[in-house]
Amino acid sequence: MYDVIIIGGGPAGSTLARLLGDRLKGLILDQRDLGRSFAGGFEKCCGGLLAPDAQEMLARFGLGLPKSVLTGPQLFAVRTIDLVSGQQRYYPRNYINVSREAFDRWLVSLLPQQVDSLWGANFLGFSQVSEAVEVSYIYGGQRQKALTRILVGADGALSRVRAGLGPGSKPRSYVALQEWFEVSEPMPYFSAVFDPAITDFYAWMIPKDQMLLVGAAIPAGTDVLARFALLKQKLHGQGFDLGNSVRRRGTSLLRPLAGHGLSRGAGQVVLIGEAAGWVSPSSAEGISYAFRSALALARALDKGCEGVLRRYRRLTRGLGLNILGKAAKCPPMYWPLLRRLAMGSGLLSIEIVE
Ligand SMILES: Cc1cc2nc3c(=O)[nH]c(=O)nc-3n(C[C@H](O)[C@H](O)[C@H](O)COP(=O)(O)OP(=O)(O)OC[C@H]3O[C@@H](n4cnc5c(N)ncnc54)[C@H](O)[C@@H]3O)c2cc1C
């Protein structure tokens, strides 16, 4: 019988597991083999940029990034490209460019020994058994079960834990596609690309050593592949040499516009990170939210398992307001006319010296 079972060893789950320490008996499991260096297989589809909010959380945790998780170049500007109006602007921003698989494995390497871990374990579902939650998963080819007082869903946008709570409103859903291209010269910016024919959200280009990562978050239910092909064609038309395609990955991405569809859980089941919908609706930045929601739950668990969801709701009120604040930033970024005016004004932008 565990106090806490955490499904998902991404930034949210591994942070919670680390903060549990030896106060509670915990188990964390993930379908990824996070206990060793990445050697292919299932990988998290992510841009791997640590935004200032995520950096601040690492500082609050007293953590410094090891060199092994970094990739290059480090980025100090966002280049915004409006494919319809042809406008381009550069804005100063400090991102840390990391290898997402290496980053997740580094976070997992910080787990205390008292927390049990199962890597390469696939969570199947849960049911209520008397006072406890019974968790089913497949590990080593065998179907297994474990009991817990609190089940934590930290299993990302496609959360099976959240699905197990029954139908409910969910944030707006996008399909995020990313394709890696070989390039000779890494470009020194993170580019954000806007075009309503492709998406009402945005597309991006991120340099990763000798690769360029081209991605887009495209509304679910539309012809995602055709829109992604159109993006590449338009980028090519703008003079971007995308080179050889090496691989392509896709996943789901949630966008809690106006906070719609956030869920903190129910009964003895608590959701953190993107499983709860904690992700910025303006930028899709989610790592800082994974950290903050995990910290809130760790604090809620300080007083034990009884009443934890109530305390977690209270401790994440500020995070809910933060999401509303990010949603308020969307019109000047995503309404074509306002974006044209904002970019045209040059406000807060910088000149690039050739
Ligand atoms: C294409 C893309 C690019 C992004 N780029 C950035 C970026 O540059 N910077 C940023 O801050 N945010 C970015 N985000 C958002 C960010 O990736 C997420 O918000 C963040 O990873 C959420 O962390 P998490 O721990 O909640 O979930 P995740 O990181 O998704 O972790 C969930 C974990 O649960 C595991 N899991 C899922 N289902 C099961 C199961 N059934 N059994 C066992 N394990 C399971 C998964 O293997 C995974 O390890 C991006 C998102 C996408 C889709």
Side-chain angles (χ1 to χ4, degrees), residues 116-180:
D116 291 344
S117 54
L118 289 177
W119 309 127
N122 199 351
F123 166 75
L124 298 175
F126 66 89
S127 57
Q128 191 76 36
V129 179
S130 172
E131 301 284 280
V133 180
E134 186 180 80
V135 175
S136 311
Y137 55 92
I138 293 186
Y139 182 63
Q142 305 277 321
R143 195 183 167 113
Q144 312 207 11
K145 290 182 174 173
L147 288 175
T148 182
R149 281 178 232 285
I150 300 293
L151 172 64
V152 178
D155 48 347
L158 292 166
S159 174
R160 207 175 260 180
V161 176
R162 181 172 178 154
L165 291 173
S169 69
K170 272 192 87 177
R172 186 147 183 209
S173 183
Y174 288 74
V175 177
L177 275 186
Q178 293 198 132
E179 192 163 350
W180 278 254

Short mmCIF file of all heavy atoms in Angstrom, two decimals, residues 116-180:
data_model
loop_
_atom_site.label_atom_id
_atom_site.label_comp_id
_atom_site.label_asym_id
_atom_site.label_seq_id
_atom_site.Cartn_x
_atom_site.Cartn_y
_atom_site.Cartn_z
N ASP A 116 10.01 4.46 -4.80
CA ASP A 116 10.14 3.35 -5.75
C ASP A 116 9.87 3.86 -7.15
O ASP A 116 9.03 4.75 -7.34
CB ASP A 116 9.10 2.25 -5.42
CG ASP A 116 9.42 1.54 -4.11
OD1 ASP A 116 10.56 1.68 -3.63
OD2 ASP A 116 8.52 0.87 -3.56
N SER A 117 10.57 3.28 -8.13
CA SER A 117 10.32 3.69 -9.52
C SER A 117 10.22 2.48 -10.43
O SER A 117 10.90 1.47 -10.21
CB SER A 117 11.45 4.61 -9.99
OG SER A 117 12.70 3.99 -9.80
N LEU A 118 9.35 2.59 -11.41
CA LEU A 118 9.21 1.54 -12.43
C LEU A 118 9.29 2.22 -13.78
O LEU A 118 8.39 2.98 -14.16
CB LEU A 118 7.86 0.85 -12.31
CG LEU A 118 7.61 -0.06 -11.11
CD1 LEU A 118 6.18 -0.59 -11.14
CD2 LEU A 118 8.60 -1.23 -11.10
N TRP A 119 10.38 2.01 -14.50
CA TRP A 119 10.54 2.60 -15.84
C TRP A 119 10.21 1.54 -16.88
O TRP A 119 10.56 0.38 -16.72
CB TRP A 119 11.94 3.16 -16.03
CG TRP A 119 12.36 4.07 -14.91
CD1 TRP A 119 13.50 3.98 -14.17
CD2 TRP A 119 11.65 5.24 -14.42
NE1 TRP A 119 13.53 5.00 -13.24
CE2 TRP A 119 12.42 5.78 -13.38
CE3 TRP A 119 10.44 5.85 -14.75
CZ2 TRP A 119 12.03 6.92 -12.66
CZ3 TRP A 119 10.05 6.98 -14.03
CH2 TRP A 119 10.83 7.51 -13.02
N GLY A 120 9.53 1.93 -17.94
CA GLY A 120 9.08 0.96 -18.94
C GLY A 120 7.80 0.28 -18.48
O GLY A 120 7.52 -0.86 -18.86
N ALA A 121 7.03 0.99 -17.64
CA ALA A 121 5.76 0.42 -17.13
C ALA A 121 4.60 1.22 -17.73
O ALA A 121 4.61 2.45 -17.71
CB ALA A 121 5.72 0.53 -15.61
N ASN A 122 3.62 0.51 -18.25
CA ASN A 122 2.50 1.17 -18.92
C ASN A 122 1.26 1.16 -18.03
O ASN A 122 0.72 0.10 -17.75
CB ASN A 122 2.24 0.45 -20.24
CG ASN A 122 1.44 1.30 -21.20
OD1 ASN A 122 0.95 2.37 -20.82
ND2 ASN A 122 1.30 0.82 -22.41
N PHE A 123 0.84 2.32 -17.61
CA PHE A 123 -0.35 2.44 -16.76
C PHE A 123 -1.60 2.12 -17.58
O PHE A 123 -1.78 2.62 -18.69
CB PHE A 123 -0.42 3.88 -16.22
CG PHE A 123 -1.74 4.25 -15.61
CD1 PHE A 123 -2.10 3.79 -14.36
CD2 PHE A 123 -2.61 5.10 -16.29
CE1 PHE A 123 -3.32 4.15 -13.79
CE2 PHE A 123 -3.83 5.46 -15.74
CZ PHE A 123 -4.18 4.98 -14.48
N LEU A 124 -2.48 1.29 -17.01
CA LEU A 124 -3.69 0.90 -17.74
C LEU A 124 -4.94 1.59 -17.22
O LEU A 124 -5.79 2.01 -18.00
CB LEU A 124 -3.89 -0.62 -17.63
CG LEU A 124 -2.79 -1.50 -18.23
CD1 LEU A 124 -3.07 -2.96 -17.94
CD2 LEU A 124 -2.70 -1.25 -19.73
N GLY A 125 -5.09 1.68 -15.90
CA GLY A 125 -6.31 2.28 -15.36
C GLY A 125 -6.35 2.14 -13.85
O GLY A 125 -5.42 1.62 -13.24
N PHE A 126 -7.43 2.64 -13.26
CA PHE A 126 -7.54 2.56 -11.80
C PHE A 126 -8.99 2.32 -11.42
O PHE A 126 -9.92 2.56 -12.20
CB PHE A 126 -7.02 3.85 -11.14
CG PHE A 126 -7.85 5.07 -11.44
CD1 PHE A 126 -8.92 5.42 -10.64
CD2 PHE A 126 -7.56 5.87 -12.54
CE1 PHE A 126 -9.69 6.55 -10.92
CE2 PHE A 126 -8.33 6.99 -12.83
CZ PHE A 126 -9.39 7.33 -12.01
N SER A 127 -9.19 1.83 -10.21
CA SER A 127 -10.55 1.68 -9.68
C SER A 127 -10.50 1.90 -8.17
O SER A 127 -9.45 1.75 -7.54
CB SER A 127 -11.11 0.30 -10.01
OG SER A 127 -10.25 -0.67 -9.49
N GLN A 128 -11.64 2.25 -7.61
CA GLN A 128 -11.73 2.48 -6.17
C GLN A 128 -11.93 1.13 -5.49
O GLN A 128 -12.80 0.36 -5.88
CB GLN A 128 -12.92 3.41 -5.89
CG GLN A 128 -12.99 3.95 -4.50
CD GLN A 128 -11.97 5.07 -4.26
OE1 GLN A 128 -11.70 5.86 -5.14
NE2 GLN A 128 -11.42 5.12 -3.05
N VAL A 129 -11.09 0.81 -4.49
CA VAL A 129 -11.26 -0.43 -3.74
C VAL A 129 -11.31 -0.04 -2.27
O VAL A 129 -10.29 0.29 -1.68
CB VAL A 129 -10.07 -1.39 -3.98
CG1 VAL A 129 -10.24 -2.67 -3.17
CG2 VAL A 129 -9.94 -1.71 -5.44
N SER A 130 -12.51 -0.06 -1.70
CA SER A 130 -12.70 0.37 -0.30
C SER A 130 -12.10 1.77 -0.12
O SER A 130 -12.44 2.69 -0.82
CB SER A 130 -12.08 -0.71 0.60
OG SER A 130 -12.06 -0.31 1.90
N GLU A 131 -11.13 1.93 0.82
CA GLU A 131 -10.57 3.28 1.10
C GLU A 131 -9.43 3.64 0.14
O GLU A 131 -8.91 4.75 0.20
CB GLU A 131 -10.00 3.32 2.52
CG GLU A 131 -10.99 3.03 3.61
CD GLU A 131 -11.90 4.22 3.87
OE1 GLU A 131 -11.46 5.14 4.57
OE2 GLU A 131 -13.04 4.22 3.34
N ALA A 132 -9.01 2.67 -0.71
CA ALA A 132 -7.82 2.89 -1.52
C ALA A 132 -8.14 2.94 -3.01
O ALA A 132 -9.25 2.65 -3.44
CB ALA A 132 -6.82 1.76 -1.25
N VAL A 133 -7.13 3.34 -3.79
CA VAL A 133 -7.25 3.31 -5.25
C VAL A 133 -6.37 2.17 -5.74
O VAL A 133 -5.19 2.07 -5.35
CB VAL A 133 -6.76 4.65 -5.86
CG1 VAL A 133 -6.90 4.63 -7.38
CG2 VAL A 133 -7.52 5.83 -5.27
N GLU A 134 -6.94 1.29 -6.56
CA GLU A 134 -6.15 0.19 -7.12
C GLU A 134 -5.69 0.59 -8.52
O GLU A 134 -6.50 0.96 -9.37
CB GLU A 134 -7.00 -1.09 -7.20
CG GLU A 134 -6.18 -2.29 -7.64
CD GLU A 134 -7.03 -3.53 -7.71
OE1 GLU A 134 -7.76 -3.70 -8.71
OE2 GLU A 134 -6.97 -4.34 -6.76
N VAL A 135 -4.38 0.51 -8.74
CA VAL A 135 -3.77 0.96 -9.99
C VAL A 135 -3.30 -0.26 -10.77
O VAL A 135 -2.62 -1.13 -10.23
CB VAL A 135 -2.56 1.88 -9.66
CG1 VAL A 135 -1.82 2.29 -10.92
CG2 VAL A 135 -3.03 3.11 -8.88
N SER A 136 -3.66 -0.32 -12.06
CA SER A 136 -3.22 -1.45 -12.91
C SER A 136 -2.22 -0.95 -13.94
O SER A 136 -2.41 0.12 -14.52
CB SER A 136 -4.38 -2.05 -13.70
OG SER A 136 -5.46 -2.30 -12.87
N TYR A 137 -1.20 -1.76 -14.16
CA TYR A 137 -0.19 -1.40 -15.15
C TYR A 137 0.47 -2.66 -15.68
O TYR A 137 0.35 -3.74 -15.08
CB TYR A 137 0.86 -0.45 -14.55
CG TYR A 137 1.52 -0.98 -13.30
CD1 TYR A 137 2.71 -1.71 -13.37
CD2 TYR A 137 0.95 -0.77 -12.06
CE1 TYR A 137 3.31 -2.20 -12.22
CE2 TYR A 137 1.54 -1.26 -10.90
CZ TYR A 137 2.73 -1.98 -10.99
OH TYR A 137 3.31 -2.47 -9.86
N ILE A 138 1.16 -2.49 -16.82
CA ILE A 138 1.91 -3.62 -17.37
C ILE A 138 3.39 -3.34 -17.16
O ILE A 138 3.87 -2.25 -17.51
CB ILE A 138 1.61 -3.81 -18.87
CG1 ILE A 138 0.16 -4.25 -19.03
CG2 ILE A 138 2.56 -4.82 -19.50
CD1 ILE A 138 -0.24 -4.61 -20.44
N TYR A 139 4.07 -4.28 -16.56
CA TYR A 139 5.51 -4.12 -16.33
C TYR A 139 6.18 -5.47 -16.59
O TYR A 139 5.70 -6.49 -16.07
CB TYR A 139 5.77 -3.66 -14.89
CG TYR A 139 7.22 -3.42 -14.60
CD1 TYR A 139 7.93 -2.43 -15.28
CD2 TYR A 139 7.92 -4.20 -13.68
CE1 TYR A 139 9.28 -2.20 -15.03
CE2 TYR A 139 9.27 -3.98 -13.42
CZ TYR A 139 9.94 -2.98 -14.11
OH TYR A 139 11.27 -2.76 -13.86
N GLY A 140 7.23 -5.44 -17.40
CA GLY A 140 7.93 -6.69 -17.73
C GLY A 140 7.00 -7.69 -18.41
O GLY A 140 7.10 -8.88 -18.16
N GLY A 141 6.06 -7.18 -19.20
CA GLY A 141 5.15 -8.07 -19.93
C GLY A 141 4.02 -8.63 -19.07
O GLY A 141 3.18 -9.38 -19.56
N GLN A 142 4.00 -8.29 -17.77
CA GLN A 142 2.97 -8.83 -16.87
C GLN A 142 2.00 -7.74 -16.43
O GLN A 142 2.44 -6.62 -16.12
CB GLN A 142 3.61 -9.36 -15.58
CG GLN A 142 4.69 -10.37 -15.75
CD GLN A 142 4.13 -11.76 -15.91
OE1 GLN A 142 3.15 -12.11 -15.25
NE2 GLN A 142 4.71 -12.53 -16.81
N ARG A 143 0.74 -8.07 -16.33
CA ARG A 143 -0.22 -7.13 -15.78
C ARG A 143 -0.09 -7.15 -14.25
O ARG A 143 -0.10 -8.23 -13.64
CB ARG A 143 -1.63 -7.57 -16.19
CG ARG A 143 -2.65 -6.48 -15.98
CD ARG A 143 -4.04 -6.98 -16.34
NE ARG A 143 -4.99 -6.02 -15.82
CZ ARG A 143 -5.75 -5.27 -16.57
NH1 ARG A 143 -5.72 -5.37 -17.87
NH2 ARG A 143 -6.58 -4.41 -16.02
N GLN A 144 0.07 -5.98 -13.63
CA GLN A 144 0.29 -5.92 -12.19
C GLN A 144 -0.63 -4.90 -11.55
O GLN A 144 -1.19 -4.04 -12.24
CB GLN A 144 1.74 -5.55 -11.90
CG GLN A 144 2.71 -6.37 -12.72
CD GLN A 144 4.06 -6.53 -12.09
OE1 GLN A 144 4.25 -6.21 -10.94
NE2 GLN A 144 5.00 -7.05 -12.85
N LYS A 145 -0.74 -4.98 -10.22
CA LYS A 145 -1.62 -4.05 -9.49
C LYS A 145 -0.91 -3.52 -8.26
O LYS A 145 -0.08 -4.20 -7.67
CB LYS A 145 -2.90 -4.76 -9.06
CG LYS A 145 -3.79 -5.09 -10.24
CD LYS A 145 -5.07 -5.75 -9.84
CE LYS A 145 -5.93 -5.88 -11.10
NZ LYS A 145 -7.13 -6.64 -10.88
N ALA A 146 -1.28 -2.30 -7.86
CA ALA A 146 -0.76 -1.74 -6.60
C ALA A 146 -1.84 -0.86 -5.99
O ALA A 146 -2.68 -0.31 -6.71
CB ALA A 146 0.50 -0.92 -6.86
N LEU A 147 -1.81 -0.75 -4.67
CA LEU A 147 -2.81 0.07 -3.98
C LEU A 147 -2.19 1.36 -3.48
O LEU A 147 -1.01 1.39 -3.08
CB LEU A 147 -3.36 -0.70 -2.77
CG LEU A 147 -4.28 -1.88 -3.07
CD1 LEU A 147 -4.63 -2.60 -1.77
CD2 LEU A 147 -5.55 -1.42 -3.80
N THR A 148 -2.97 2.43 -3.48
CA THR A 148 -2.46 3.71 -3.01
C THR A 148 -3.58 4.53 -2.37
O THR A 148 -4.75 4.35 -2.69
CB THR A 148 -1.84 4.51 -4.18
OG1 THR A 148 -1.30 5.72 -3.68
CG2 THR A 148 -2.84 4.85 -5.27
N ARG A 149 -3.15 5.43 -1.47
CA ARG A 149 -4.15 6.36 -0.90
C ARG A 149 -4.47 7.46 -1.89
O ARG A 149 -5.61 7.86 -2.04
CB ARG A 149 -3.58 6.99 0.37
CG ARG A 149 -3.64 6.09 1.57
CD ARG A 149 -3.03 6.78 2.78
NE ARG A 149 -2.03 5.93 3.38
CZ ARG A 149 -2.30 4.87 4.10
NH1 ARG A 149 -3.54 4.53 4.36
NH2 ARG A 149 -1.34 4.12 4.59
N ILE A 150 -3.41 7.97 -2.56
CA ILE A 150 -3.59 9.06 -3.53
C ILE A 150 -2.96 8.66 -4.85
O ILE A 150 -1.80 8.20 -4.89
CB ILE A 150 -2.89 10.37 -3.03
CG1 ILE A 150 -3.47 10.83 -1.69
CG2 ILE A 150 -2.99 11.48 -4.08
CD1 ILE A 150 -4.92 11.29 -1.73
N LEU A 151 -3.72 8.79 -5.94
CA LEU A 151 -3.18 8.55 -7.27
C LEU A 151 -2.96 9.90 -7.93
O LEU A 151 -3.86 10.75 -7.95
CB LEU A 151 -4.18 7.71 -8.10
CG LEU A 151 -3.82 7.54 -9.58
CD1 LEU A 151 -2.51 6.77 -9.75
CD2 LEU A 151 -4.95 6.84 -10.34
N VAL A 152 -1.75 10.10 -8.46
CA VAL A 152 -1.44 11.38 -9.12
C VAL A 152 -1.28 11.15 -10.62
O VAL A 152 -0.44 10.35 -11.05
CB VAL A 152 -0.14 12.00 -8.55
CG1 VAL A 152 0.19 13.30 -9.28
CG2 VAL A 152 -0.29 12.25 -7.05
N GLY A 153 -2.07 11.85 -11.41
CA GLY A 153 -1.94 11.81 -12.86
C GLY A 153 -0.97 12.90 -13.28
O GLY A 153 -1.29 14.08 -13.22
N ALA A 154 0.26 12.48 -13.68
CA ALA A 154 1.26 13.42 -14.22
C ALA A 154 1.62 12.91 -15.60
O ALA A 154 2.77 12.95 -16.02
CB ALA A 154 2.48 13.48 -13.31
N ASP A 155 0.59 12.37 -16.28
CA ASP A 155 0.83 11.64 -17.52
C ASP A 155 0.52 12.46 -18.77
O ASP A 155 0.21 11.90 -19.83
CB ASP A 155 0.10 10.29 -17.52
CG ASP A 155 -1.36 10.38 -17.10
OD1 ASP A 155 -1.77 11.42 -16.56
OD2 ASP A 155 -2.10 9.39 -17.31
N GLY A 156 0.62 13.77 -18.67
CA GLY A 156 0.63 14.60 -19.86
C GLY A 156 -0.70 14.83 -20.53
O GLY A 156 -1.77 14.51 -20.00
N ALA A 157 -0.61 15.40 -21.75
CA ALA A 157 -1.80 15.87 -22.46
C ALA A 157 -2.81 14.76 -22.75
O ALA A 157 -4.02 15.01 -22.80
CB ALA A 157 -1.37 16.53 -23.77
N LEU A 158 -2.32 13.54 -22.95
CA LEU A 158 -3.24 12.44 -23.28
C LEU A 158 -3.54 11.61 -22.04
O LEU A 158 -3.74 10.40 -22.13
CB LEU A 158 -2.62 11.57 -24.38
CG LEU A 158 -2.50 12.24 -25.75
CD1 LEU A 158 -1.58 11.46 -26.68
CD2 LEU A 158 -3.87 12.40 -26.38
N SER A 159 -3.56 12.26 -20.89
CA SER A 159 -3.65 11.58 -19.60
C SER A 159 -4.75 10.50 -19.52
O SER A 159 -5.93 10.77 -19.67
CB SER A 159 -3.92 12.62 -18.50
OG SER A 159 -4.16 11.98 -17.27
N ARG A 160 -4.30 9.28 -19.25
CA ARG A 160 -5.24 8.18 -19.05
C ARG A 160 -5.86 8.28 -17.65
O ARG A 160 -6.96 7.82 -17.43
CB ARG A 160 -4.49 6.87 -19.23
CG ARG A 160 -5.35 5.74 -19.68
CD ARG A 160 -4.54 4.50 -19.95
NE ARG A 160 -4.28 4.32 -21.36
CZ ARG A 160 -3.58 3.29 -21.85
NH1 ARG A 160 -3.08 2.38 -21.05
NH2 ARG A 160 -3.40 3.17 -23.14
N VAL A 161 -5.11 8.88 -16.72
CA VAL A 161 -5.66 9.06 -15.37
C VAL A 161 -6.85 10.01 -15.46
O VAL A 161 -7.92 9.74 -14.92
CB VAL A 161 -4.59 9.63 -14.41
CG1 VAL A 161 -5.19 9.89 -13.04
CG2 VAL A 161 -3.40 8.67 -14.30
N ARG A 162 -6.66 11.12 -16.18
CA ARG A 162 -7.76 12.08 -16.32
C ARG A 162 -8.95 11.44 -17.03
O ARG A 162 -10.10 11.63 -16.63
CB ARG A 162 -7.26 13.30 -17.11
CG ARG A 162 -8.32 14.37 -17.27
CD ARG A 162 -7.75 15.63 -17.87
NE ARG A 162 -8.81 16.62 -18.04
CZ ARG A 162 -8.62 17.92 -18.07
NH1 ARG A 162 -7.42 18.42 -17.93
NH2 ARG A 162 -9.64 18.75 -18.22
N ALA A 163 -8.67 10.64 -18.07
CA ALA A 163 -9.75 9.97 -18.79
C ALA A 163 -10.52 9.06 -17.84
O ALA A 163 -11.75 8.93 -17.94
CB ALA A 163 -9.19 9.18 -19.96
N GLY A 164 -9.82 8.45 -16.87
CA GLY A 164 -10.46 7.54 -15.92
C GLY A 164 -11.41 8.25 -14.97
O GLY A 164 -12.22 7.61 -14.30
N LEU A 165 -11.31 9.59 -14.90
CA LEU A 165 -12.22 10.34 -14.03
C LEU A 165 -13.57 10.58 -14.72
O LEU A 165 -14.46 11.17 -14.14
CB LEU A 165 -11.60 11.70 -13.66
CG LEU A 165 -10.39 11.64 -12.72
CD1 LEU A 165 -9.77 13.01 -12.57
CD2 LEU A 165 -10.81 11.08 -11.37
N GLY A 166 -13.66 10.13 -15.99
CA GLY A 166 -14.93 10.28 -16.70
C GLY A 166 -14.90 11.48 -17.60
O GLY A 166 -13.98 12.30 -17.55
N PRO A 167 -15.95 11.60 -18.44
CA PRO A 167 -15.96 12.71 -19.39
C PRO A 167 -16.12 14.04 -18.66
O PRO A 167 -16.79 14.12 -17.65
CB PRO A 167 -17.18 12.42 -20.28
CG PRO A 167 -18.03 11.50 -19.48
CD PRO A 167 -17.15 10.77 -18.52
N GLY A 168 -15.48 15.03 -19.11
CA GLY A 168 -15.57 16.36 -18.51
C GLY A 168 -14.99 17.30 -19.54
O GLY A 168 -14.44 16.86 -20.54
N SER A 169 -15.11 18.61 -19.28
CA SER A 169 -14.59 19.53 -20.28
C SER A 169 -13.07 19.45 -20.28
O SER A 169 -12.44 19.26 -19.24
CB SER A 169 -15.07 20.94 -19.99
OG SER A 169 -14.44 21.42 -18.84
N LYS A 170 -12.48 19.55 -21.47
CA LYS A 170 -11.02 19.52 -21.61
C LYS A 170 -10.59 20.79 -22.30
O LYS A 170 -11.37 21.40 -23.04
CB LYS A 170 -10.61 18.33 -22.49
CG LYS A 170 -10.41 17.04 -21.70
CD LYS A 170 -9.73 15.99 -22.54
CE LYS A 170 -8.22 16.09 -22.50
NZ LYS A 170 -7.53 15.05 -23.24
N PRO A 171 -9.34 21.22 -22.09
CA PRO A 171 -8.88 22.38 -22.84
C PRO A 171 -8.92 22.10 -24.34
O PRO A 171 -8.96 20.94 -24.76
CB PRO A 171 -7.44 22.56 -22.37
CG PRO A 171 -7.33 21.83 -21.09
CD PRO A 171 -8.31 20.70 -21.18
N ARG A 172 -8.88 23.16 -25.12
CA ARG A 172 -8.84 23.00 -26.57
C ARG A 172 -7.62 22.16 -26.95
O ARG A 172 -6.54 22.32 -26.38
CB ARG A 172 -8.71 24.40 -27.18
CG ARG A 172 -8.80 24.40 -28.63
CD ARG A 172 -9.45 25.66 -29.11
NE ARG A 172 -9.58 25.53 -30.52
CZ ARG A 172 -9.57 26.54 -31.34
NH1 ARG A 172 -9.51 27.76 -30.87
NH2 ARG A 172 -9.68 26.36 -32.63
N SER A 173 -7.82 21.24 -27.89
CA SER A 173 -6.76 20.28 -28.19
C SER A 173 -6.13 20.54 -29.56
O SER A 173 -6.84 20.82 -30.54
CB SER A 173 -7.38 18.89 -28.12
OG SER A 173 -6.41 17.94 -28.33
N TYR A 174 -4.82 20.44 -29.61
CA TYR A 174 -4.06 20.63 -30.85
C TYR A 174 -3.22 19.39 -31.11
O TYR A 174 -2.87 18.65 -30.18
CB TYR A 174 -3.11 21.84 -30.73
CG TYR A 174 -3.84 23.16 -30.74
CD1 TYR A 174 -4.56 23.59 -29.63
CD2 TYR A 174 -3.84 23.97 -31.87
CE1 TYR A 174 -5.26 24.78 -29.64
CE2 TYR A 174 -4.53 25.17 -31.90
CZ TYR A 174 -5.24 25.58 -30.78
OH TYR A 174 -5.93 26.75 -30.79
N VAL A 175 -2.89 19.19 -32.39
CA VAL A 175 -1.89 18.17 -32.72
C VAL A 175 -0.59 18.91 -32.96
O VAL A 175 -0.53 19.82 -33.78
CB VAL A 175 -2.29 17.38 -33.98
CG1 VAL A 175 -1.20 16.37 -34.34
CG2 VAL A 175 -3.61 16.67 -33.76
N ALA A 176 0.43 18.56 -32.18
CA ALA A 176 1.74 19.21 -32.34
C ALA A 176 2.64 18.28 -33.13
O ALA A 176 2.87 17.14 -32.72
CB ALA A 176 2.35 19.52 -30.98
N LEU A 177 3.09 18.75 -34.29
CA LEU A 177 4.01 17.96 -35.12
C LEU A 177 5.38 18.62 -35.10
O LEU A 177 5.46 19.85 -35.15
CB LEU A 177 3.52 17.95 -36.57
CG LEU A 177 2.50 16.93 -37.01
CD1 LEU A 177 2.29 17.03 -38.51
CD2 LEU A 177 2.93 15.52 -36.64
N GLN A 178 6.42 17.82 -35.03
CA GLN A 178 7.78 18.37 -35.10
C GLN A 178 8.61 17.53 -36.06
O GLN A 178 8.56 16.31 -36.00
CB GLN A 178 8.45 18.36 -33.72
CG GLN A 178 7.82 19.31 -32.72
CD GLN A 178 8.73 19.63 -31.54
OE1 GLN A 178 8.90 20.76 -31.18
NE2 GLN A 178 9.32 18.61 -30.95
N GLU A 179 9.36 18.21 -36.93
CA GLU A 179 10.22 17.50 -37.88
C GLU A 179 11.64 18.04 -37.75
O GLU A 179 11.83 19.26 -37.66
CB GLU A 179 9.67 17.70 -39.30
CG GLU A 179 10.30 16.80 -40.32
CD GLU A 179 9.48 16.70 -41.62
OE1 GLU A 179 8.33 17.17 -41.66
OE2 GLU A 179 10.02 16.15 -42.60
N TRP A 180 12.61 17.13 -37.74
CA TRP A 180 14.02 17.52 -37.58
C TRP A 180 14.68 17.55 -38.97
O TRP A 180 14.59 16.58 -39.71
CB TRP A 180 14.78 16.49 -36.75
CG TRP A 180 14.65 16.62 -35.27
CD1 TRP A 180 15.61 17.09 -34.40
CD2 TRP A 180 13.54 16.24 -34.44
NE1 TRP A 180 15.13 17.04 -33.11
CE2 TRP A 180 13.89 16.52 -33.11
CE3 TRP A 180 12.29 15.70 -34.71
CZ2 TRP A 180 13.03 16.28 -32.05
CZ3 TRP A 180 11.43 15.47 -33.66
CH2 TRP A 180 11.79 15.75 -32.34
#
